[in-house]
Amino acid sequence: MTSLVFFCGHAGTGKTTLAKKLIGPLMKASGKPFCLLDKDTLFGGYSAAAMAMLTGDPNDRDSPLFLQHLREPEYRGLIDTARDNLELGISTLVVGPLSREVRERRLFDYAWLGIARDVRLRVVWVHVAEETARQRIVERANPNDAYKLAHWDEYRQRRFVPSGAICDDLLMFDNSAPTQADYDALLARIVG
């Protein structure tokens, strides 16, 4: 059985770091190989080139223009690449904000994902307090975050922590200051 594990959450929550930390233990615990698909690694260069042509700013990755025209193709390509790996028998970790898809519960919809029903599906929502996320974004000094920081009041309105029915089957992970016990517990929930 293959597995598809999503690491979702807003910027600065540590999604990629968490996925990279857990991929080795996950392969050991499951006895299966996994590949890691990070949205920024797969599509960052392409989107930067497209935005440079459209707006003159390659780091304009959160503007309304980007969100209206490039977000969906990036996310669809990410999910299609995951599906290709699953069809080859390779379990996959997918890293990306995917906030809209979490809110609309699309990541639990096998038909929308285009994957077989026998794929083990897990969705992790990685979160930290807003100020922690903002501080991490400032410290990492990634040019892709410039729009977020310059328009923080606008950006923060899109931030949310899932609650209610959205949380059904969602693995919530507070990445503020996790301990090894927290990582172990999350790993057990992903594998179990």
Side-chain angles (χ1 to χ4, degrees):
M1 171 188 287
T2 55
S3 296
L4 175 57
V5 183
F6 288 98
F7 284 83
C8 310
H10 301 295
T13 58
K15 301 176 297 292
T16 302
T17 302
L18 179 61
K20 287 179 178 180
K21 179 171 184 61
L22 292 182
I23 194 167
L26 184 55
M27 288 191 286
K28 184 176 180 180
S30 67
K32 298 185 188 264
F34 276 76
C35 73
L36 174 70
L37 303 177
D38 184 293
K39 181 186 83 69
D40 289 338
T41 302
L42 286 172
F43 297 104
Y46 172 82
S47 294
M51 290 308 289
M53 286 180 18
L54 293 170
T55 68
D57 181 359
N59 302 314
D60 182 2
R61 303 276 305 282
D62 277 285
S63 69
L65 179 71
F66 176 85
L67 295 173
Q68 290 171 1
H69 298 287
L70 292 178
R71 182 194 186 279
E72 292 301 320
E74 273 193 5
Y75 281 57
R76 190 76 253 167
L78 185 64
I79 290 166
D80 290 348
T81 305
R83 185 185 60 248
D84 286 350
N85 279 278
L86 294 166
E87 289 172 355
L88 294 170
I90 303 167
S91 292
T92 307
L93 298 184
V94 174
V95 180
L98 293 152
S99 55
R100 185 181 311 161
E101 291 73 13
V102 166
R103 185 179 290 146
E104 296 172 0
R105 296 202 39 88
R106 290 180 186 173
L107 300 184
F108 294 100
D109 184 341
Y110 283 78
W112 186 83
L113 292 168
I115 62 173
R117 294 290 304 177
D118 64 346
V119 172
R120 174 180 285 149
L121 183 59
R122 300 290 187 264
V123 181
V124 179
W125 182 264
V126 185
H127 61 95
V128 297
E130 179 184 331
E131 277 310 306
T132 301
R134 189 176 194 290
Q135 184 60 37
R136 288 178 180 178
I137 291 168
V138 168
E139 288 172 2
R140 71 185 180 193
N142 185 327
N144 291 336
D145 294 324
Y147 189 93
K148 283 182 199 73
L149 292 172
H151 302 86
W152 188 259
D153 287 337
E154 175 189 325
Y155 170 71
R156 71 189 298 263
Q157 292 176 24
R158 295 196 326 254
R159 288 181 48 88
F160 72 100
V161 175
S163 61
I166 294 173
C167 290
D168 291 349
D169 301 319
L170 194 62
L171 305 179
M172 301 293 289
F173 189 79
D174 183 344
N175 205 20
S176 301
T179 65
Q180 188 58 49
D182 296 324
Y183 295 127
D184 294 344
L186 178 59
L187 182 64
R189 293 180 71 196
I190 292 170
V191 174

